[in-house]
Amino acid sequence: MNMSRRAFLQVSASGTALLLVSATGLLPRLAAAAATNPLAPTDHRKPFQAMTLDEVVKSLGGTTATKSTDIALQAPPIAENGAVVPVVIESKLPNTRMIAIVSEKNPHALSASFSFPDGTEPYVMTRVKVAETSNLYALVQTDKGFFYTEQLVKVTLGGCGG
């Protein structure tokens, strides 16, 4: 085997680091910390596999969502380019924990999800892809449950209104 100097140094450094971690007994502690840490990576794919608003709510741990006038959703009524639709969402609901953007005619209904720690202003400004003309939903989770508002966004080809 013909190993370059760079490859030899990388293998040596990795082996030395692993040997030091295991010799000091930190490896079991690091594994236990990752398993109990609430910020540890988890599988967030299930909500993105849902196809309807109700399925998204259920995959996020809720039962149903209630329509609310305390959520402000701003999106253009006609989007000339469905790949970059500007969206602004603001929740006036107390104790907002999460804001999600849902478009049921997309290949994956859940477009984005934003979590808010306590004391943070629940405001989102972003751009999302809307595959075809459909209702765009702003889904908000609070300590009282899930709430939503909706707006129809018409996606036109080449900027022709219709």
Side-chain angles (χ1 to χ4, degrees), residues 46-60 65 71 73-75 85 87-89 98-114 124 126-141 146-153 155:
K46 188 173 181 182
F48 287 96
Q49 293 169 348
M51 299 305 291
T52 65
L53 178 66
D54 290 334
E55 289 177 9
V56 170
V57 170
K58 287 178 182 162
S59 67
L60 291 171
I71 305 167
L73 168 62
Q74 296 174 5
V85 178
V87 177
V88 177
I89 302 169
M98 186 263 314
I99 293 178
I101 302 169
V102 179
S103 176
E104 289 185 344
K105 297 233 178 145
N106 280 358
H108 299 285
L110 182 59
S111 297
S113 175
F114 305 91
V124 172
T126 189
R127 294 178 187 270
V128 295
K129 180 177 183 178
V130 179
E132 59 184 272
T133 299
S134 65
N135 279 326
L136 195 65
Y137 297 94
L139 179 66
V140 174
Q141 180 186 17
F146 286 86
F147 301 89
Y148 75 94
T149 190
E150 63 187 321
Q151 179 180 336
L152 179 66
V153 175
V155 177

Side-chain angles (χ1 to χ4, degrees), residues 9-95:
L9 290 174
Q10 287 175 340
V11 169
S12 298
S14 299
T16 303
L18 184 61
L19 188 64
L20 285 173
V21 168
S22 62
T24 60
L26 287 178
L27 199 56
R29 289 186 203 158
L30 290 173
T36 59
N37 185 354
L39 298 177
T42 58
D43 187 10
H44 296 290
R45 290 179 286 185
K46 188 173 181 182
F48 287 96
Q49 293 169 348
M51 299 305 291
T52 65
L53 178 66
D54 290 334
E55 289 177 9
V56 170
V57 170
K58 287 178 182 162
S59 67
L60 291 171
T63 53
T64 61
T66 307
K67 193 164 189 173
S68 174
T69 58
D70 290 331
I71 305 167
L73 168 62
Q74 296 174 5
I78 298 176
E80 295 178 5
N81 183 358
V84 286
V85 178
V87 177
V88 177
I89 302 169
E90 183 175 12
S91 172
K92 292 183 177 47
L93 295 167
N95 301 318

